[in-house]
Every structure is written in C-alpha cells, then in structure tokens.
Amino acid sequence: MVTKQLLKGLPEDADLRRADSLAREIFSDVANKWALLIIEALGEGTLRFSELRDEVEGISHKMLTQNLRMLERNGLVDRKVHPTVPPRVEYTLTEAGRGLRATVDAMCGWTHAYLGHIEDARRHFDA
C-alpha cells in the first residue's frame, strides 16, 4: 500500500491514491472471520449455498448472504445460477480468490509456526 510518506513530493497521482484506497477497502471487507472461513471452505471446490452454510459452522443465512455478495463484488467469488426449478446456485473462488486463499493459508501456517511464542507472550503480558 502507498503511505502518505511515499506520496510526498509526487505530483497529484489519483491512480496511486485510488490503489491505496481500494486496498484498504478490500482489506476491510475480507478481514472478518466469516469471509476468511468462506474463502477457506470454497478453496476445496464449488459449493451450493446450503453446503457452504453447513461448512462454515455458526454462520447465519443473512451473514453468509452478505459475505458472499461482498466477495462476489470484489471479484473473489463467482456465483453461478443454474436455470432449474428451484434455481440451483453455486459458488466458486475466482483466480483472485484462490490467490487470496494462498495468502490466508500462509497466515495460518505462520500462526501454527509461532503458536507457542504467541501463547508465551500472552501469558507474560497478562501476568
């Protein structure tokens, strides 16, 4: 992301500012527990709404709908409606969504690698 420090001395550059703004917006959208769990669940393949709801334990119908719409809006999830009665809707990660999943997996790996360190630090801080 572009910081204010990096922008100093540059001519007015709306593209850099827009990129920074967009990055902050996307991070804000996907940095919630439901979005990350949905991305993780869809990493295994295409799922229908009900399958996804079963996969993401504890999510309400409303929260799943809101998060899927946000992920679709940001180009991370593809929604396909099959013309059947009733309509069958499937969700799949896009290429960008799969790229984000790889990043999320790396963050999970980091967490596993440093779990003991984090727990020790928290015990020390809370003492």
Side-chain angles (χ1 to χ4, degrees):
M1 286 186 357
V2 178
T3 64
K4 289 180 181 178
Q5 186 67 25
L6 292 175
L7 288 175
K8 284 186 180 176
L10 291 176
E12 286 294 315
D13 194 339
D15 288 341
L16 285 178
R17 289 194 176 114
R18 178 66 186 137
D20 186 43
S21 175
L22 184 59
R24 290 173 195 235
E25 203 176 300
I26 291 170
F27 292 156
S28 175
D29 281 350
V30 300
N32 75 67
K33 72 176 181 179
W34 297 125
L36 294 175
L37 290 172
I38 291 167
I39 290 166
E40 185 62 26
L42 287 174
E44 302 305 318
T46 300
L47 293 174
R48 295 179 68 179
F49 185 91
S50 59
E51 294 170 326
L52 196 47
R53 191 178 59 223
D54 292 344
E55 202 61 34
V56 181
E57 189 175 324
I59 194 167
S60 69
H61 186 280
K62 179 182 175 182
M63 287 307 297
L64 181 55
T65 300
Q66 287 176 352
N67 276 273
L68 284 169
R69 285 182 183 159
M70 173 273 298
L71 291 168
E72 184 181 6
R73 179 178 181 262
N74 284 314
L76 303 172
V77 168
D78 182 46
R79 178 179 182 263
K80 183 174 183 179
V81 180
H82 297 273
T84 59
V85 178
R88 185 177 54 142
V89 182
E90 296 177 331
Y91 298 90
T92 308
L93 289 180
T94 62
E95 181 182 341
R98 289 188 302 275
L100 180 57
R101 182 175 187 245
T103 301
V104 170
D105 287 347
M107 290 171 58
C108 289
W110 173 87
T111 304
H112 292 145
Y114 290 97
L115 183 62
H117 172 79
I118 294 166
E119 288 175 333
D120 289 345
R122 287 181 173 185
R123 276 193 295 276
H124 177 72
F125 185 85
D126 293 340

